[in-house]
Amino acid sequence: MSSAPIGRTRRWCIFLVGLLESVLFSGTIFGWAQLAHVLKEQGIFSHLCNVTDVAHVASEAEAEAEAEAEAEAEAEANFKGCAAQDETFALIYTIACTVYSTPGILLGYMLHHLGLGVTRVSGG
């Protein structure tokens, strides 16, 4: 390799390619808060939230009122979420960050021993 300085155009190209890679491949980490909000609205993992149990009631009118109240509570629980749902999302986030970051160790060794070209092709 040459120790000649890198031209201005080439520096900008390297910067833009790095920026594009960050935008395309880092959504799991930087966009997680918005994604978790949308997943809660959609009711993902809402089965983990406890909804108040409906007690045995004497009349059908009371049963219908209890069923409506339970449906409203379930819809509210789906939107707000619960601790078990948040724990599941936190676990998914932790696993995603670990899977995303772990190859960086191997790519660091490759960059040091094999050079930039081989590392970028392998990392891609």
Side-chain angles (χ1 to χ4, degrees):
M1 290 204 132
S2 154
S3 63
I6 299 174
R8 181 180 215 128
T9 305
R10 187 166 179 177
R11 271 191 256 160
W12 274 102
C13 288
I14 291 170
F15 171 74
L16 292 175
V17 168
L19 183 66
L20 179 67
E21 287 177 350
S22 295
V23 168
L24 292 177
F25 301 118
S26 63
T28 302
I29 293 175
F30 298 120
W32 180 254
Q34 292 80 12
L35 180 61
H37 177 73
V38 170
L39 293 175
K40 281 183 183 181
E41 278 187 2
Q42 295 296 318
I44 305 298
F45 297 120
S46 62
H47 66 280
L48 300 173
C49 298
N50 291 331
V51 180
T52 57
D53 295 329
V54 178
H56 180 64
V57 290
S59 71
E60 289 182 24
E62 289 177 354
E64 287 180 22
E66 288 291 330
E68 288 177 15
E70 180 183 349
E72 288 176 12
E74 185 175 343
E76 186 176 322
N78 284 346
F79 181 71
K80 288 184 180 178
C82 62
Q85 188 181 30
D86 290 339
E87 288 174 7
T88 305
F89 286 137
L91 177 64
I92 291 170
Y93 180 73
T94 302
I95 292 170
C97 287
T98 302
V99 169
Y100 180 77
S101 301
T102 301
I105 297 169
L106 300 173
L107 292 175
Y109 284 113
M110 287 179 66
L111 181 62
H112 182 68
H113 294 291
L114 301 176
L116 181 61
V118 174
T119 303
R120 288 191 64 114
V121 170
S122 299

